[in-house]
Amino acid sequence: MPYQNLMPQTLSIGITSLSLGRASVHSMESKIKAAAAAGCRGLELYFEDLEVLASQMGSLERRTSSLQSAAHQIRRLCDRFGIDIINLQPFRDYDGVTSRQMHLGKMAELKIWLALCKILRTAMIVITSTFPTHPPTAAGDDHVIVANLREAADLGARESPPIRFAYEAISWGAHVQTWQHAWNIVQRADRSNLGLCLDTFHILAQTYASPAAASGRRPAAMESLARDLRELACTVGPERLFSVQLADAAKLDPPLSPQHPWYDASQDPLMTWSRQARLFPLEKEMGAYLPVLEVLRTCVVDLRYRGWVSLEVFNSSLFSTDCRVPWLHAQRGMEAWRRCRDALDQEVR
C-alpha cells in the first residue's frame, strides 16, 4: 500500500459539542467559536445542546418548533465559523424496547430528529446501545434489537439525502456492550445506511481497563486488547465503519470502590468513570494511560478508515463556570489530536 494512504493527515477532525462544556453552563456560540479557533472543522452535535437552546427560545408546549428554531440558529453559527455538523447524537434507549407505547414514542421522536438533520445539514445519527434501567425497559433479545435498527434505517433511507445511522456499543450497556455484539446486529439488520460507531473508551473499557483495579488494568490487558483488535481488523468491513470517536481516561488513585468520592451504587463503575474522568487522547500529564493509539491504528491503518474522527470527552470539568472552558477544551482536544497524528506518522515511516 502506498505510504501516503496510511497517513492520518487525510482524516477530518471534529469534536463533540458536549466536550466543550455542558449546555447548562456554556453557550453554543462560545463552543462553536472555540472549536473553530482551535482549528477543528467538525462538530458532533449533542442533543442536550439543542434541547437547552430550544428551551431558551420557546415554550415546552411548542417543543418541536423550538427545536427546529434552535437547529436553524446552530446551523447559522456553524456556517459563520466554517464548521460542519458531523452527526446528531445520541439517540438513546431505543434498541430492544419492550413496550409498544414506548416504541411508538421513540419512532415519533426519531422523525423529529430526521427533520432536525435536514435543518442542520447533517446526514448521520448515532444510536447508542440502551443503558440499564430499573425496572428494565428493553429486552436483551437480538431479534427485537435488529428489528428496531432496521426500522430506523428504513426511515432514514427515505430521507433526501438519506440518513445514515452509526450504532455504538456502550461499555456498560444493558445488553450490547462490545463492538462484536454491535457488529453482529448491524450485519443481521442488513441495511447499507446502518453501520458502526467505534469509541476508543468503550473498546478499551471492555478489553483493557478497570477503574476498580489499582493498576487500572484488567488481567492480561495487553494480550486481551491485541486479540480484540486483530479480530476487529479482520471482521469489520471498512465501508460499514461510519464513525470513530477518540477518548482516553485518567487512572483512578485510589481505585473506584464504595469508599471513593465518585462511587455511586446505582451506576455501573464504567459509567461513573466515563462521566467523571475521560480525557483527551495521550494527556499523560493529566493522568491519561489508555492505549488509544492501538485502537486508532487499527481503524486508520488496518481498516483504512477515512471519515471523521471525533474527540469525545466527558469530565467533571465540563460543569465549570469558567468562561474559558470551551476554549481550553478545544485547544486541549486539538493538541491531543496532533500528538496522535505525530505518533502514527512516526510509526508508518
Side-chain angles (χ1 to χ4, degrees):
M1 187 189 309
Y3 159 71
Q4 61 268 26
N5 291 339
L6 289 170
M7 293 295 289
Q9 280 89 339
T10 58
L11 297 169
S12 300
I13 309 305
I15 193 165
T16 305
S17 60
L18 186 73
S19 301
L20 298 170
R22 296 305 293 237
S24 59
V25 184
H26 301 283
S27 71
M28 273 306 298
E29 182 169 2
S30 68
K31 293 197 277 188
I32 292 169
K33 188 183 296 186
C40 190
R41 290 294 171 259
L43 194 73
E44 289 192 320
L45 181 57
Y46 212 78
F47 194 68
E48 173 188 298
D49 284 292
L50 196 54
E51 279 194 306
V52 168
L53 183 57
S55 71
Q56 297 166 353
M57 300 180 70
S59 64
L60 292 176
E61 292 76 17
R62 299 174 59 249
R63 176 175 180 266
T64 300
S65 61
S66 296
L67 284 170
Q68 290 177 349
S69 295
H72 279 294
Q73 182 166 325
I74 290 170
R75 184 62 263 174
R76 285 193 294 270
L77 284 168
C78 287
D79 286 342
R80 177 181 164 194
F81 290 102
I83 297 288
D84 290 332
I85 298 178
I86 303 165
N87 58 50
L88 182 60
Q89 61 123 337
F91 193 73
R92 282 193 186 128
D93 301 325
Y94 168 66
D95 59 329
V97 289
T98 53
S99 158
R100 175 166 174 76
Q101 183 177 0
M102 183 177 292
H103 175 258
L104 291 173
K106 293 302 291 186
M107 292 308 295
E109 180 72 4
L110 182 57
K111 290 175 183 177
I112 293 173
W113 281 49
L114 292 173
L116 293 171
C117 284
K118 191 177 292 290
I119 295 168
L120 294 165
R121 298 203 303 274
T122 187
M124 189 186 301
I125 291 172
V126 177
I127 299 179
T128 55
S129 61
T130 297
F131 287 19
T133 57
H134 302 286
T137 59
D141 185 338
D142 281 6
H143 294 288
V144 175
I145 296 173
V146 167
N148 290 159
L149 293 182
R150 187 180 288 145
E151 185 176 7
D154 288 345
L155 263 184
R158 293 198 286 269
E159 294 294 307
S160 181
I163 300 298
R164 297 193 300 165
F165 294 89
Y167 186 44
E168 179 181 5
I170 302 299
S171 54
W172 60 84
H175 307 294
V176 178
Q177 302 177 341
T178 66
W179 69 261
Q180 290 94 334
H181 196 173
W183 175 241
N184 179 262
I185 288 166
V186 165
Q187 285 187 300
R188 289 173 57 184
D190 192 25
R191 293 295 186 269
S192 61
N193 64 326
L194 177 65
L196 282 185
C197 170
L198 295 180
D199 182 313
T200 60
F201 176 87
H202 291 306
I203 291 173
L204 294 167
Q206 278 290 323
T207 59
Y208 179 87
S210 170
S215 67
R217 296 168 178 82
R218 294 172 181 263
M222 284 307 297
E223 293 86 347
S224 174
L225 176 60
R227 283 194 303 271
D228 196 74
L229 295 182
R230 282 196 299 270
E231 183 183 359
L232 177 61
C234 296
T235 304
V236 172
E239 73 284 354
R240 304 301 286 281
L241 179 52
F242 288 179
S243 177
V244 171
Q245 296 173 334
L246 296 185
D248 212 314
K251 185 169 72 172
L252 300 188
D253 185 15
L256 194 62
S257 71
Q259 290 72 47
H260 196 284
W262 289 346
Y263 181 78
D264 184 342
S266 68
Q267 280 186 353
D268 186 292
L270 293 178
M271 182 177 182
T272 302
W273 187 38
S274 174
R275 292 287 173 85
Q276 298 285 350
R278 281 208 201 193
L279 295 169
F280 291 107
L282 309 185
E283 289 190 310
K284 295 181 180 179
E285 68 279 6
M286 300 182 74
Y289 75 106
L290 299 181
V292 173
L293 281 178
E294 302 294 327
V295 185
L296 180 60
R297 182 189 306 111
T298 300
C299 293
V300 302
V301 176
D302 298 330
L303 291 174
R304 306 183 196 181
Y305 176 75
R306 291 298 180 268
W308 284 96
V309 174
S310 299
L311 300 151
E312 187 181 63
V313 165
F314 307 102
N315 192 289
S316 53
S317 65
L318 299 174
F319 288 97
S320 170
T321 57
D322 187 337
C323 65
R324 298 174 300 166
V325 164
W327 185 86
L328 290 170
H329 278 243
Q331 295 292 327
R332 281 174 52 197
M334 291 307 291
E335 173 58 26
W337 168 248
R338 285 188 285 271
R339 293 180 187 182
C340 291
R341 180 197 63 199
D342 292 348
L344 285 186
D345 186 21
Q346 290 299 315
E347 286 186 12
V348 297
R349 285 185 187 280

